[in-house]
């Protein structure tokens, strides 16, 4: 008799918050929420890379509207688990978004500084509308007053990895989202590459 498949966790995880299946279901329902707002109309997705890559790819495939895609790269945490000062735009848009409906997508809303910075940049480009969507929301950590229009899951103030989210560029490829073990929150002893 075939044995039931166990979800694959990772030894560096203290706990799994959301399995791949749970993420998939939530992404599907988020897509339906988004669809009720945009109807059949076209909109432009702006994804904040690298973190939002997996979320954006899965969400887009649940949406049958005509969509355009562009990406913005914002400077990241480095090897720390806490935000380091002000985020900066490292690579900006290539598409023209003037008079276009824009949906800005990020992996996680933490202090809010990243979403605030990018929202301002987009607003300055005179879009028809701007809405924001994040997979995860650490509400308790907000330092600037900003909320996302669409939120996948609210989570506690813990450093999470997987499904696009990294620690020092590792773990983005985990299919689940989990809390990084405190004893792994150091890059000592890691070699480059
Ligand atoms: P904020 O500017 O403080 O809101 O941070 C947003 C960015 O910080 C996200 O796009 C993530 O790249 C990163 N970030 C915040 N919290 C976490 C976490 O728990 N794990 C991994 N990355 C995080
Ligand atoms: Mg990010």
């Amino acid at each position: 008799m075939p044995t039931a498949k166990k979800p694959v966790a990772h030894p560096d995880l203290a706990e799994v918050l959301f399995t791949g299946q749970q993420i998939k279901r939530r992404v599907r329902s988020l897509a339906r929420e988004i669809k009720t707002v945009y109807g059949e109309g076209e909109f432009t997705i702006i994804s904040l890379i690298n973190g939002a890559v997996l979320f954006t790819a899965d969400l887009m495939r649940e949406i049958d509207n005509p969509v355009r895609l562009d990406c913005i790269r914002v400077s990241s945490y480095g090897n720390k688990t806490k935000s380091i000062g002000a985020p900066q735009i490292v690579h900006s848009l290539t598409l023209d978004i003037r008079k276009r409906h824009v949906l800005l997508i990020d992996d996680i809303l933490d202090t809010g500084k990243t979403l605030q910075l990018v929202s301002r940049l987009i607003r300055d480009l005179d879009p028809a509308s701007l809405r924001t969507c994040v997979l995860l929301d650490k509400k308790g950590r907000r330092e600037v007053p900003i909320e996302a229009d669409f939120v996948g899951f609210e989570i506690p103030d813990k450093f999470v990895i997987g499904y696009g989210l990294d620690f020092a560029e590792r773990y983005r490829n985990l299919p689940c989202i989990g809390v990084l073990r405190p004893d792994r929150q150091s890059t000592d002893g890691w070699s480059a590459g």
Side-chain angles (χ1 to χ4, degrees), residues 77 106-108 110-114 138 159-160 165-166:
Y77 274 76
D106 202 4
D107 50 2
I108 185 165
D110 186 26
T111 64
K113 290 177 186 172
T114 303
K138 279 189 203 169
F159 194 80
V160 293
L165 293 124
D166 74 306

Side-chain angles (χ1 to χ4, degrees), residues 147-180:
E147 298 301 330
D149 296 292
F150 306 97
V151 174
F153 303 102
E154 266 188 43
I155 62 165
D157 179 13
K158 291 180 174 175
F159 194 80
V160 293
I161 51 169
Y163 196 69
L165 293 124
D166 74 306
F167 172 66
E169 291 306 323
R170 266 104 168 167
Y171 310 110
R172 292 196 197 275
N173 56 327
L174 299 187
C176 63
I177 293 171
V179 178
L180 181 62

Side-chain angles (χ1 to χ4, degrees), residues 48-52 74-77 80-87 105-117 134 136 138 141-144 146 155-162 164-168 172 177-178 180:
L48 298 189
I49 55 174
N50 293 328
V74 179
S75 60
S76 72
Y77 274 76
K80 305 268 173 15
T81 54
K82 295 288 175 198
S83 190
I84 37 159
I105 299 182
D106 202 4
D107 50 2
I108 185 165
L109 184 51
D110 186 26
T111 64
K113 290 177 186 172
T114 303
L115 213 60
Q116 186 185 62
L117 174 79
V134 294
L136 305 174
K138 279 189 203 169
R141 293 233 333 133
R142 209 73 90 248
E143 288 178 24
V144 296
I146 188 162
I155 62 165
D157 179 13
K158 291 180 174 175
F159 194 80
V160 293
I161 51 169
L165 293 124
D166 74 306
F167 172 66
R172 292 196 197 275
I177 293 171
L180 181 62

Side-chain angles (χ1 to χ4, degrees), residues 30-97:
L30 260 182
R32 285 195 295 271
E33 288 175 34
I34 290 168
K35 181 97 184 163
T36 59
V37 171
Y38 289 99
E40 301 298 323
E42 182 182 283
F43 56 95
T44 301
I45 289 173
I46 298 179
S47 177
L48 298 189
I49 55 174
N50 293 328
V53 162
L54 275 68
F55 176 42
T56 305
D58 287 344
L59 186 67
M60 280 182 77
R61 282 179 287 188
E62 297 293 337
I63 292 170
D64 58 3
N65 295 49
V67 294
R68 305 190 309 157
L69 173 68
D70 205 348
C71 296
I72 292 180
R73 183 183 292 277
V74 179
S75 60
S76 72
Y77 274 76
N79 291 351
K80 305 268 173 15
T81 54
K82 295 288 175 198
S83 190
I84 37 159
Q88 286 179 353
I89 310 274
V90 178
H91 191 277
S92 194
L93 293 172
T94 50
L95 289 182
D96 185 2
I97 56 162

